[in-house]
Amino acid sequence: PSCEIVYAVVYNPALRGEQVLAAIQEAIDGVVRSDCWLRGARRLPSQNASERPVPGEISLLVIHNISLPPGRFGGGFVEQLFLNCLDCTMHPYFERLRGLRVSAHLLIDRRGRLVQFVPCGLRAWHAGESSFAGRANCNDFSVGIELEGTDERPYTKAQYARLVRVTRVLMRAYPAITAERIVGHCDIAPGRKSDPGRAFDWAHYRAALAASD
C-alpha cells in the first residue's frame, strides 16, 4: 500500500491495538485490482474458468471446504487439482478425481495464506448444480472461496481472520454481495454438499464481519 494508506491507518484514533494491525494487513492485501485479481494473493491461474453470462454480475459469496486427500492438509494437492496437474497415482482417493475439471476463485489454507486461481470477473467452476433464491447455476453470479479443512475439524484463527478481510474487500468491490448473500455450499446444493460443515462457526464469522464494518 502507499505510505498515505498506512499513515491513515496507524493514526486513525478509532483503531486500537490489534485493530491497527488488522487494518494495515487489509490495506496491504485488501484491493481488488482492475483485472479482478486480489493484491496480497498468490496467483496461480487456472484454465478451469469461463466468461460470466452477464459480465460483471457478482452478487453471491459461497464458502466451501476442501482437503486432499480428505482430512489431510498441505502437500499442494488442492492447487494441483485446480491447475489440472494432479498426479492421480499419488493416492488411491485421487483416482475418483481423474479428469475432473474444477476451480475456485480463492483458497485460504490452514495458516491463513491466500491463493487465487480465477479472477473474480470470470466464472470459476466451484458450485456445480446449485441454486440460490430461486436462481440456478450459482457459478454464473458468485465468487467461491475454499477453506482448507473438513466438515468436522475446526478451522483456524488465521483462516477466519483472512476470510473476514477478504469478505470485506469483496463486499466493497461488489456491493451486491450483502451479508444475506454469503452462504455455504450446503445452502445452494442441499443434500448434495455439506461444506463448510458444522465445524464452521458462522456466528463467529458473521460477528467478526459485522464488527469490522
Side-chain angles (χ1 to χ4, degrees):
S2 68
C3 293
E4 290 80 5
I5 292 175
V6 172
Y7 181 91
V9 168
V10 172
Y11 291 97
N12 183 342
L15 299 178
R16 293 291 184 273
E18 292 184 357
Q19 291 178 317
V20 173
L21 296 178
I24 291 174
Q25 184 60 48
E26 185 172 335
I28 292 171
D29 63 21
V31 178
V32 178
R33 294 157 44 107
S34 60
D35 57 3
C36 300
W37 292 91
L38 271 68
R39 288 182 182 164
R42 180 186 177 203
R43 191 185 300 191
L44 295 177
S46 172
Q47 296 180 352
N48 302 336
S50 50
E51 296 291 335
R52 294 185 185 274
V54 181
E57 183 188 10
I58 301 171
S59 61
L60 187 69
L61 177 60
V62 182
I63 299 174
H64 306 255
N65 73 34
I66 191 168
S67 57
L68 290 176
R72 288 174 55 182
F73 307 136
F77 297 123
V78 174
E79 292 90 331
Q80 292 168 29
L81 174 66
F82 290 166
L83 297 176
N84 301 332
C85 61
L86 178 66
D87 183 352
C88 292
T89 67
M90 291 288 291
H91 190 277
Y93 179 83
F94 294 167
E95 281 299 326
R96 69 185 67 187
L97 305 177
R98 189 179 294 277
L100 184 65
R101 296 291 181 263
V102 293
S103 63
H105 292 92
L106 300 160
L107 168 69
I108 301 175
D109 72 10
R110 302 295 287 183
R111 295 173 59 185
R113 295 175 298 192
L114 184 67
V115 182
Q116 185 167 3
F117 299 92
V118 176
C120 297
L122 293 182
R123 181 180 183 272
W125 302 347
H126 61 97
E129 184 178 350
S130 55
S131 66
F132 179 78
R135 183 177 178 185
N137 301 318
C138 293
N139 283 341
D140 292 348
F141 54 96
S142 67
V143 170
I145 300 179
E146 293 277 3
L147 300 177
E148 187 178 31
T150 71
D151 286 7
E152 307 297 334
R153 191 176 301 186
Y155 297 91
T156 68
K157 291 181 179 179
Q159 285 180 300
Y160 282 113
R162 177 71 77 165
L163 178 61
V164 168
R165 292 199 302 268
V166 169
T167 301
R168 290 188 66 196
V169 169
L170 293 173
M171 293 176 77
R172 285 199 299 266
Y174 309 109
I177 300 178
T178 62
E180 295 75 26
R181 296 183 67 88
I182 301 173
V183 299
H185 200 184
C186 57
D187 299 310
I188 62 172
R192 188 175 70 83
K193 293 295 182 178
S194 59
D195 53 320
R198 57 185 177 183
F200 186 76
D201 191 339
W202 282 101
H204 170 74
Y205 166 60
R206 293 193 185 280
L209 191 59
S212 61
D213 286 343

